[in-house]
Amino acid sequence: MLIKRRQGWEIPESQATPEGIFLNRRAFLSGTAALGASIATSAMLPGRARAETDPSAHLYPAERNEAFVLDRAVTPEEINSTYNNFYEFGSHKQIYTYAQKLPIRPWEVRIDGMVDEEMTLGIDELLARVSLEERLYRHRCVEAWAMAIPWSGFALADLVRIASPKAGAKYLAMETFFNPDVASGQRQSWNPWPYTEAVTMAEATNDLAFLVTGAYGKPLAKQFGAPLRLALPWKYGFKSIKSIVRFTFTDVRPQSFWEKIGPSEYGFWANVNPDVPHPRWSQASERILGTNETVPTQLFNGYGEQVAGMYAGLDGEKLFM
Ligand code: MTE
């Protein structure tokens, strides 16, 4: 039985953004009607044509899981989908036009390493083996800006179950596509492409770890990391790897893309903590995209109740960078 209770990461109404600027929260919580309105306003957004032709379009909107709702306004789609980090398509925020070049069918996902049987699944085959739901999540970039997003997808734990890892597996590494012909950023040979990320098995099977296949009630737009990206809302956004093509189970801690580029600034754990500054800026507060309101940052981005236990006893680790 689902017991609805106020979660630690639901911020107070006083910090919610003005109704005139953001979607009306009550209308939003009423579900598909509001999503319909949001989709209507998004008629001119990049990625709309894709939603019409996507073979998985019939799976959306997915039913919202009310255990993962926010007491704050959702960032309007037109803001979220035109302000993105996706370095494969450029190091600025307006990559959305360039990202439309990414072909997302066929799209194969390889599962290998320490598993009972290595496998390759087409994205639609994978979607047929899981059930999708919608969750409202916070999203906190290491650059100190934040959004709130209605992601659709399935628990990363479901993928772990499908993969059936061996008992000795300690980490799950993930990899983005590599195609410099469509992603010109990948021609920058000084960067360690493809983009990679990794989590521990405890993190991979935590309830909050979510594989995202859709947003705003429809298939994921390319700039968000279609057709499959990660969302780890208690960690800085760079851990949420986009456009994943490979999952590898291993017993050796992998080094991720940003860790290889700047090991003194970006670590393996990257848990959000207002009291641990980035070497070049404070993490004490964050700017809410859309209103430009500045609000205090919360430990584990407000999700401490669900995740803090995983880090007990890891005192020697740099858990917050
Ligand atoms: N994944 C890939 N493959 N390439 C990237 O450049 N950027 C990361 C993360 N995942 C990135 C990525 C960073 S720094 C952030 S903050 C989030 O994606 C941004 O997600 P958004 O564009 O949906 O806000």
Side-chain angles (χ1 to χ4, degrees):
M1 192 181 71
L2 180 70
I3 299 169
K4 171 92 180 75
R5 64 194 169 94
R6 192 182 164 89
Q7 306 280 341
W9 37 269
E10 290 179 358
I11 64 170
E13 196 67 58
S14 60
Q15 285 175 22
T17 40
E19 286 187 352
I21 297 169
F22 275 148
L23 296 175
N24 177 288
R25 178 175 156 259
R26 278 201 185 82
F28 197 88
L29 289 176
S30 78
T32 44
L35 273 172
S38 143
I39 291 164
T41 16
S42 71
M44 290 167 301
L45 290 176
R48 178 177 173 265
R50 169 176 143 39
E52 286 162 358
T53 54
D54 192 296
S56 68
H58 62 286
L59 299 174
Y60 304 90
E63 195 177 331
R64 180 170 304 161
N65 183 338
E66 297 290 343
F68 302 95
V69 294
L70 295 171
D71 194 7
R72 86 192 285 178
V74 163
T75 306
E77 185 183 5
E78 51 272 33
I79 289 174
N80 195 350
S81 58
T82 53
Y83 189 96
N84 302 95
N85 276 338
F86 204 166
Y87 283 80
E88 284 82 345
F89 296 100
S91 55
H92 53 91
K93 306 292 181 213
Q94 279 71 47
I95 52 79
Y96 55 92
T97 47
Y98 306 99
Q100 305 315 312
K101 274 176 76 183
L102 179 66
I104 54 165
R105 291 294 189 288
W107 188 275
E108 292 194 329
V109 177
R110 177 86 184 141
I111 299 176
D112 60 15
M114 298 177 70
V115 289
D116 288 340
E117 203 178 329
E118 299 192 332
M119 61 180 105
T120 303
L121 293 172
I123 184 68
D124 296 303
E125 234 178 310
L126 176 59
L127 286 173
R129 293 179 66 169
V130 293
S131 74
L132 300 186
E133 63 182 42
E134 184 181 74
R135 300 180 178 189
L136 303 187
Y137 270 7
R138 291 164 176 266
H139 174 49
R140 170 51 158 93
C141 181
V142 73
E143 297 162 346
W145 50 263
M147 303 198 213
I149 305 143
W151 294 129
S152 305
F154 56 98
L156 179 56
D158 289 344
L159 183 122
V160 173
R161 183 180 40 77
I162 292 169
S164 184
K166 292 188 191 300
K170 292 188 180 138
Y171 301 94
L172 173 56
M174 289 151 280
E175 200 175 290
T176 296
F177 71 88
F178 182 68
N179 186 350
D181 289 340
V182 298
S184 62
Q186 291 183 327
R187 290 187 212 136
Q188 298 168 338
S189 53
W190 57 88
N191 277 333
W193 306 109
Y195 197 100
T196 50
E197 259 307 336
V199 290
T200 64
M201 291 303 293
E203 291 174 327
T205 52
N206 184 279
D207 276 353
L208 281 172
F210 199 50
L211 276 174
V212 173
T213 59
Y216 295 93
K218 57 195 175 189
L220 205 56
K222 295 184 181 185
Q223 59 269 38
F224 291 144
L228 186 67
R229 73 169 281 170
L230 187 62
L232 301 171
W234 72 98
K235 291 181 180 285
Y236 291 118
F238 67 85
K239 296 290 294 183
S240 293
I241 181 172
K242 296 181 170 183
S243 302
I244 304 170
V245 294
R246 187 174 177 194
F247 294 87
T248 304
F249 292 84
T250 171
D251 56 1
V252 180
R253 188 194 290 187
Q255 252 204 339
S256 64
F257 181 80
W258 287 110
E259 207 180 348
K260 285 181 198 154
I261 293 173
S264 60
E265 303 199 351
Y266 308 102
F268 172 78
W269 299 99
N271 295 310
V272 174
N273 188 334
D275 298 326
V276 179
H278 182 276
R280 289 183 281 132
W281 58 83
S282 164
Q283 296 290 20
S285 62
E286 62 206 42
R287 179 173 60 91
I288 304 284
L289 290 192
T291 60
N292 276 338
E293 185 190 11
T294 298
V295 301
T297 289
Q298 298 182 45
L299 183 59
F300 294 112
N301 202 22
Y303 294 92
E305 220 175 285
Q306 291 93 332
V307 300
M310 292 191 288
Y311 306 106
L314 292 175
D315 303 338
E317 295 282 344
K318 292 182 172 166
L319 293 172
F320 303 105
M321 65 158 276

